[in-house]
Amino acid sequence: MRNFAICGRSIPAYYPDNRSLEAVSIDGVRMLCGVIETADRAFDTALPARAHDVLVRVRRFSCNYRDKSFVMRAATRMPDDRFYVIGSEFVGEVAAVGPAVTRVQRGDRVMGDNTLPFVGPGHVGEGPHGGIPTNNASGEYLVLHEDKVMGIPSSMPDDVAAAFSIGAQTAFSMVDKLGLAGGEHVLVTAASSNTSLFAIEALRQRDVAIYATTTSEHHVARLLARGVREVFVVPSATLFSEHASLVATARRVGGFAGVIDPFLDLHLHKVLGLMRTGGRYVSCGMHDQLALTPHVTDAPPDYRAALATAIVKNISIVGSCVGLRHHLAQAVSAYDAGRMDVPIDSVFTGDRAGAFLERTFTTRDRFGKVVYAYE
């Protein structure tokens, strides 16, 4: 079976004919990546522990921002003779099922179901753990509990399915937590990030006005084409309160009723002042996950002042980690009905391992997910 991996320095000696191995640099950290062949995964349906499991043969996979922390950790801490298999989203075909499986059958196309915190109502006892099914989605064969996969409609091509589940499930959950009323004004920060692109698609399912911030002029036209009413280009080191047109729009609409922000540490302290009294702010993560990436501002955020603003204005600050199965089902239904678009930036195959990794994590003009396909 094939595995897309971050490799220790000694790995090329074990795979002298592997042409996919390539050195790349991410945030100044040099690393080796490539597709590594290993023994096929065993799947014995006679074992009681496999009763509710499925064997999935992965066709395509993609990485999310969360994968960057795993990649950086592997590159900086892994022994020279080891490799780390990456990836958190996939599309695959069910190759075999345990005897008690009812959700899917052999031959079905599936993606991961990232339901968190629990699969089902409350603790499931001996059932599967909640959360993302695997951090090693590029492994060509995955063994997963049937409750951790979801079937894919024929309308959804493999490239989209390989880049769908985490972003869609997260975004539909975040929009749900905003509790939006018709006609409200919502701001999406870091609008070209994968999570925010999905959030814009989720917001398009509601009767709301969508606004967005980005640090790049390259993405303005693309965002406007996706139904965003106004796009504000705000350099990383600039406070939102210093951006005249953003402040003017916030005043004109009476303050944003909701904010969706994928990077709390970059924007929380900047955006609360632009929100209306009683507004709702939802975030799903941090930009500097392991203190391994460069700081994007010269001064640390003033969280004390931000929280004081939240208190005075009765703003709800809500954390959101992935979502529930019905959020993913809503997203799939929206796509199947033609109400949702998923931008795919590029697809890589074969020996282009380094190009895939660099495009995923280092290219500023990337718009949408980057997918790797097993031929």
Side-chain angles (χ1 to χ4, degrees):
M1 60 179 276
R2 291 169 287 186
N3 310 266
F4 193 109
I6 305 301
C7 303
R9 289 182 294 180
S10 301
I11 292 300
Y14 299 104
Y15 298 89
D17 298 322
N18 190 331
R19 293 183 299 174
S20 73
L21 292 171
E22 186 176 0
V24 298
S25 180
I26 298 178
D27 288 346
V29 176
R30 197 75 171 162
M31 64 188 71
L32 188 69
C33 68
V35 178
I36 301 296
E37 294 270 359
T38 61
D40 285 344
R41 179 155 306 202
F43 186 73
D44 186 353
T45 58
L47 295 175
R50 292 284 174 254
H52 287 276
D53 286 346
V54 298
L55 178 68
V56 178
R57 182 173 185 177
V58 172
R59 294 179 176 180
R60 287 163 169 76
F61 76 92
S62 68
C63 294
N64 287 275
Y65 190 73
R66 67 185 296 274
D67 292 289
K68 186 176 182 180
S69 63
F70 301 137
V71 166
M72 299 294 280
R73 183 167 11 192
T76 55
R77 303 175 187 176
M78 188 171 57
D80 289 348
D81 62 347
R82 302 292 178 88
F83 60 84
Y84 177 76
V85 180
I86 70 170
S88 54
E89 288 191 275
F90 64 90
V91 59
E93 181 178 324
V94 176
V97 299
V101 170
T102 59
R103 281 194 185 276
V104 295
Q105 60 186 354
R106 186 175 178 180
D108 286 353
R109 286 192 314 141
V110 295
M111 66 175 71
D113 175 7
N114 316 282
T115 294
L116 190 79
F118 307 116
V119 178
H123 291 278
V124 193
E126 297 181 357
H129 294 292
I132 294 170
T134 178
N135 296 324
N136 319 113
S138 69
E140 191 172 9
Y141 285 93
L142 303 174
V143 176
L144 303 169
H145 192 281
E146 64 172 323
D147 287 341
K148 298 305 295 173
V149 297
M150 178 176 285
I152 302 166
S154 59
S155 63
M156 184 180 291
D158 280 352
D159 292 343
V160 170
F164 191 87
S165 65
I166 294 177
Q169 200 163 13
T170 298
F172 274 70
S173 175
M174 293 174 83
V175 170
D176 199 12
K177 290 175 181 177
L178 283 180
L180 297 167
E184 290 193 311
H185 300 269
V186 182
L187 181 68
V188 180
T189 65
S192 65
S193 70
N194 291 319
T195 299
S196 291
L197 288 174
F198 275 105
I200 289 167
E201 294 300 314
L203 287 167
R204 288 176 59 194
Q205 314 302 313
R206 308 291 184 101
D207 176 25
V208 296
I210 309 168
Y211 305 81
T213 67
T214 179
T215 59
S216 175
E217 292 276 1
H218 296 295
H219 305 310
V220 173
R222 291 167 171 171
L223 292 166
L224 291 173
R226 306 188 85 77
V228 177
R229 183 169 295 189
E230 290 184 67
V231 180
F232 307 98
V233 180
V234 187
S236 299
T238 300
L239 295 175
F240 287 178
S241 61
E242 297 171 351
H243 194 282
S245 60
L246 176 56
V247 171
T249 295
R251 288 174 178 168
R252 175 173 55 80
V253 303
F256 296 110
V259 171
I260 289 181
D261 178 15
F263 303 124
L264 179 148
D265 51 336
L266 295 187
H267 303 119
L268 174 67
H269 64 295
K270 295 182 179 183
V271 77
L272 295 183
L274 301 179
M275 297 182 66
R276 76 178 192 190
T277 298
R280 285 88 63 199
Y281 166 98
V282 180
S283 181
C284 62
M286 309 283 280
H287 179 267
D288 196 2
Q289 298 179 63
L290 284 179
L292 290 173
T293 54
H295 292 292
V296 297
T297 56
D298 294 329
D302 188 349
Y303 290 119
R304 183 181 178 88
L307 293 175
T309 299
I311 291 170
V312 170
K313 299 178 73 172
N314 286 300
I315 293 172
S316 300
I317 298 175
V318 182
S320 186
C321 191
V322 206
L324 303 177
R325 190 175 181 92
H326 75 268
H327 293 125
L328 181 56
Q330 287 171 1
V332 171
S333 294
Y335 184 90
D336 193 35
R339 301 193 313 271
M340 181 176 175
D341 182 51
V342 178
I344 300 299
D345 176 89
S346 49
V347 180
F348 293 87
T349 60
D351 295 338
R352 304 197 65 201
F356 164 79
L357 203 66
E358 288 183 321
R359 187 73 188 171
T360 297
F361 292 123
T362 69
T363 309
R364 285 184 57 81
D365 67 347
R366 175 185 55 76
F367 192 84
K369 292 295 294 290
V370 181
V371 174
Y372 187 93
Y374 286 131
E375 297 172 312

